[in-house]
């Protein structure tokens, strides 16, 4: 395991700037998640670290050594590919053992066998070890892809949405399992995901990436409570933060154009609030209910109190409770 | 980026509603299209009934009958007729002599005839060496072309040229190249070995002529093997190699454990095509050497043609043709089984 340091790295594909000026340090034994919308450049960032893409500028250091020009094989990274990239002509076992079988490593066959068995058990794919890689479901392929990385102990694990095609139950299970493995081994992991729950629960730090730029990096709590701009604020929180024009409310600090109101920033009452809104519909999601409101033509989504017994058409009043303020360009303004 | 934010801020709000709107559209579209297919299903039996009360099955038979009749006439009937003739003393140049049923006599005499075995050996030499050389060089070329160096498209076209020529042209063309005095082949060999160009005759020498035909066939058909191998190599996605790179497999190991196994079904297919084709080889060898000198290049097809149309031993040659057919058919079947095993491995 080692520290990985990315310094002002940029990469363009033709005219498309996939990553621009990305700087990021993943400490030894740290679990960092990259969160961002599709096309933000998350995969490209991982590929740059792995050496599968050459950066246009900037440098990459692994364990203090400059590896910017090195081939992937010389960097000692493990990669879980977004599209699995299994060897289709090999069995699951052979896929997972492939990296261990490198002639230069001389890992004894018994050790390989034991290691693969152990990882396969963790990932619940023991019974599939002798299947061909093509005779698997998407979720099983994804677990083989994870397993192929986990059998190794590289300087860093790069994981590109490794749990995206699993069902909710298995995803929850593997989330815990991966976190446990990471803690046990003290593994360094850079983990790309769309899923805020994964980022929040597993990562010690979250980097929010948008259009190739790192917007903010910090602990999950920091990112959630103290986002630097509206983009970052919109990444975390369920339901998504409501971004409302400041003009709708009175008593807003100067220079504020947009108000960001999460559920906890909104108090709903039957009257006597700052503004009034109409209930459009109530969505029951099982453990919670989403309340869709219409505030002067703007949609507002918040959590509903099941006790309140609100229904479509009801008039409610909203009170803001220490919301986030953003200026005309979307940047945070202190309250 | 920063200047774009306020506009995008409203965009984020809108995302909440968007998917819903889209899925409603999609559902409308779906129900519309399923309505159409539903109507189409309702219509089909009606159409069939309108064509003079014929069922779908009868119509299907009507459509394929001409093809079946044609196939029977030009493929199956001659085959059966040949099988029949192979048991008789029939001679095509004396059609009015009464034919006598001989049983398996011809088969026995063919299988014990040393000349036939010599022809089979010549054929085996030709088939094995052409297939080996074409596969090795063809795969090598495909591997290089697949590296996508500059101008690889032009090189592909140039390499493919020989394959596009007619075997008759190639036969004549190489007869000239093999000319001891003025031929380019002899000149080039002489240039590199320092021997006298007219000191050897590729087509006239009993030791060299079996190789002369191998060289011409390899020259002509290596491109074909290359093309099939190239298809195989192109079918291996780049991301497999990326995974292998990350898994720290050397280029050498990548070749042996990824490139070769994944291209193997294609290579085997090329071998099958060339093997069958060269087992039946006639035109090119006939033009180049006519089977000579002596019978050193007399491949089975030439023996067959001589028996059938020079000695007019129709029954005998029919039996030989059947033996060749069964041999190719049997070998190809065994081979295809192996091929399928490799593919499903
Ligand atoms: N090989 C390539 N050639 C050209 N453009 C590319 C290439 N790879 C990525 N891009 C572009 O770079 C941008 C970032 O792509 P990237 O795959 O890194 O996104 P991502 O954040 O991983 O998205 P997703 O969450 O959908 O996987 C995209 O606009 C994409 O179109
Ligand atoms: Mg991606």
């Amino acid at each position: 395991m080692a520290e990985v340091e990315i310094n002002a790295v940029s990469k363009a594909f033709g005219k498309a700037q996939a990553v621009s000026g990305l700087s990021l340090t993943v400490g030894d034994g740290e679990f960092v998640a990259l969160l961002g919308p599709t096309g933000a450049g998350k995969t490209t960032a991982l590929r740059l670290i792995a050496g599968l893409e050459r950066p246009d500028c900037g440098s990459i250091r692994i364990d203090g050594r400059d590896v910017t020009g090195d081939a992937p094989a010389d960097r000692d990274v493990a990669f879980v590919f977004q599209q699995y990239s299994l060897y289709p002509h090999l069995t699951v076992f052979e896929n997972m053992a492939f990296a261990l079988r490198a002639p230069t490593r001389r890992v004894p066959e018994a050790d390989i066998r034991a290691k693969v068995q152990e990882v396969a058990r963790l990932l619940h794919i023991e019974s599939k070890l002798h299947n061909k890689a093509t005779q698997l479901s998407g979720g099983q392929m994804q677990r083989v892809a994870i397993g192929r990385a986990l059998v190794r102990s590289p300087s860093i694990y790069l994981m590109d949405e490794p749990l995206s095609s699993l069902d909710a139950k298995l995803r929850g299970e593997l989330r815990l399992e991966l976190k446990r493995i990471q803690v046990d081994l003290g593994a360094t992991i850079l983990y790309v995901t769309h899923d805020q729950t994964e980022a929040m629960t597993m990562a010690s730090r979250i980097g929010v990436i948008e259009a190739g730029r790192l917007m903010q990096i910090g602990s999950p709590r920091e990112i959630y409570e103290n986002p630097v701009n509206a983009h970052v604020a919109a990444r975390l929180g369920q339901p998504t933060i409501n971004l409302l024009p400041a003009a709708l409310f009175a008593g807003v600090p100067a220079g504020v154009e947009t108000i960001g109101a999460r559920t906890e920033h909104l108090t709903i009452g039957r009257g006597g609030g700052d503004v009034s809104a109409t209930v459009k519909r109530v969505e029951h999601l099982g453990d919670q209910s989403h309340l869709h409101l219409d505030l002067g033509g703007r949609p507002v989504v918040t959590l509903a109190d099941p006790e309140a017994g609100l229904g479509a058409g009801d008039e409610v009043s909203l009170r803001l409770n220490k919301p986030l303020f953003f200026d005309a360009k979307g940047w945070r303004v202190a309250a | 980026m920063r200047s774009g934010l306020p506009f995008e801020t409203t965009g984020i709000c809108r995302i909440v509603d968007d998917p819903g709107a889209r899925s409603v559209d999609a559902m409308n579209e779906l129900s519309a299209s399923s309505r159409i297919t539903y109507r189409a299903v309702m219509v089909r039996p009606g159409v069939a009934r309108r064509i003079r009360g014929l069922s779908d099955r009868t119509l299907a038979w009507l459509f394929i009958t001409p093809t079946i009749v044609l196939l029977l006439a030009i493929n199956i009937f001659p085959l059966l007729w040949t099988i029949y003739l192979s048991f008789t003393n029939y001679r095509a140049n004396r059609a009015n002599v009464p034919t006598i049923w001989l049983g398996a006599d011809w088969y026995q005499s063919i299988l014990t005839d040393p000349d036939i075995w010599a022809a089979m050996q010549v054929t085996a030499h030709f088939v094995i060496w052409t297939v080996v050389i074409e596969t090795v060089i063809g795969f090598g070329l495909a591997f290089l072309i697949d590296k996508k160096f500059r101008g690889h498209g032009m090189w592909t076209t140039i390499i493919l040229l020989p394959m596009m020529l007619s075997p008759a042209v190639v036969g004549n063309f190489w007869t000239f190249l093999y000319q001891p005095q003025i031929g380019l082949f002899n000149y080039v060999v002489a240039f590199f070995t320092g021997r006298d160009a007219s000191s050897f005759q590729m087509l006239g020498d009993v030791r060299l002529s079996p190789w002369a035909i191998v060289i011409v066939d390899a020259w002509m058909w290596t491109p074909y093997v290359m093309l099939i191998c190239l298809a195989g190599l192109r079918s291996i996605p780049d991301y497999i190699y990326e995974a292998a790179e990350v898994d720290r497999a050397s280029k050498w190991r990548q070749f042996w454990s990824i490139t070769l196994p994944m291209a193997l079904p294609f290579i085997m297919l090329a071998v099958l095509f060339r093997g069958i084709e060269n087992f039946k080889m006639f035109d090119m060898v006939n033009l180049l050497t006519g089977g000579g000198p002596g019978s050193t290049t007399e491949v089975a097809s030439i023996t067959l043609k001589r028996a059938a149309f020079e000695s007019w031993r129709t029954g005998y040659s029919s039996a030989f043709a059947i033996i060749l057919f069964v041999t190719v058919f049997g070998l190809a079947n065994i081979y295809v089984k192996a091929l399928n095993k490799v593919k499903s491995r």
Side-chain angles (χ1 to χ4, degrees), chain A residues 37-44 46-47 82 160-161 192 194:
Chain A
T38 177
K42 305 181 298 294
T43 299
T44 309
L46 292 192
R47 290 173 59 85
Q82 189 170 10
D160 198 353
E161 306 188 24
V192 161
H194 279 138

Side-chain angles (χ1 to χ4, degrees), chain A residues 167-198:
Chain A
D167 62 72
K169 181 170 168 290
L170 194 55
R171 194 181 313 167
E173 227 171 289
L174 286 185
R175 206 164 61 205
L176 288 174
E177 204 58 66
L178 269 183
K179 185 64 192 167
R180 193 185 61 70
I181 294 170
Q182 190 254 333
V183 172
D184 285 357
L185 299 177
T188 314
I189 299 183
L190 183 57
Y191 188 101
V192 161
T193 180
H194 279 138
D195 181 354
Q196 47 173 309
T197 321
E198 277 173 29

Side-chain angles (χ1 to χ4, degrees), chain A residues 3 19 21 44 51 68 79 129 132 136-137 151 167-168 201-202 223 268 306 312:
Chain A
E3 184 183 86
V19 166
T44 309
T68 317
F79 203 123
L129 277 178
K132 256 182 79 172
L136 297 173
S137 74
V151 294
D167 62 72
T201 55
M202 298 165 86
I223 300 279
I268 295 165

Side-chain angles (χ1 to χ4, degrees), chain A residues 114-309:
Chain A
K115 187 76 204 174
V116 171
Q117 285 285 354
E118 181 200 331
V119 172
R121 192 173 41 74
L122 278 181
L123 298 169
H124 311 297
I125 42 173
E126 274 169 302
S127 61
K128 301 288 171 194
L129 277 178
H130 297 288
N131 279 40
K132 256 182 79 172
T134 44
Q135 301 163 338
L136 297 173
S137 74
Q140 288 163 348
M141 286 189 201
Q142 192 157 41
R143 279 176 282 161
V144 177
I146 299 173
R148 201 167 55 169
L150 286 185
V151 294
R152 296 177 49 190
S153 17
S155 37
I156 184 168
Y157 292 101
L158 303 168
M159 302 194 172
D160 198 353
E161 306 188 24
L163 305 181
S164 61
S165 52
L166 305 180
D167 62 72
K169 181 170 168 290
L170 194 55
R171 194 181 313 167
E173 227 171 289
L174 286 185
R175 206 164 61 205
L176 288 174
E177 204 58 66
L178 269 183
K179 185 64 192 167
R180 193 185 61 70
I181 294 170
Q182 190 254 333
V183 172
D184 285 357
L185 299 177
T188 314
I189 299 183
L190 183 57
Y191 188 101
V192 161
T193 180
H194 279 138
D195 181 354
Q196 47 173 309
T197 321
E198 277 173 29
M200 292 289 277
T201 55
M202 298 165 86
S204 43
R205 283 193 300 152
I206 297 177
V208 179
I209 191 169
E210 176 90 29
R213 287 173 191 281
L214 189 67
M215 289 284 167
Q216 186 176 4
I217 183 157
S219 70
R221 213 190 153 92
E222 224 174 293
I223 300 279
Y224 183 81
E225 291 178 354
N226 228 342
V228 294
N229 64 25
H231 277 306
V232 177
R235 274 295 122 213
L236 293 184
Q238 196 51 263
T240 315
I241 192 167
N242 298 291
L243 296 167
L244 302 166
L248 289 175
F249 300 88
V252 172
V256 171
E257 277 289 310
T258 311
I259 292 180
R262 297 194 204 273
T263 285
E264 62 268 28
H265 301 136
L266 289 168
T267 318
I268 295 165
R270 288 286 188 181
D274 298 337
V275 287
S276 65
T278 321
V279 177
K280 300 283 275 187
R281 67 195 140 104
V282 183
E283 257 181 340
H284 296 287
L285 303 178
D287 55 338
Q288 46 177 243
S289 309
H290 284 184
L291 188 62
H292 293 255
L293 302 172
D294 179 79
L295 176 65
R298 301 253 164 196
V300 173
V301 186
T302 179
L303 287 181
D305 180 3
E307 310 283 285

Side-chain angles (χ1 to χ4, degrees), chain A residues 47 89 105 132 231 329, chain B residues 5 242 247-248 257 345:
Chain A
R47 290 173 59 85
H89 59 297
R105 300 197 170 193
K132 256 182 79 172
H231 277 306
K329 296 187 169 178
Chain B
L5 274 169
E242 291 185 344
D247 275 347
R248 313 216 278 182
S257 53
R345 202 184 44 192

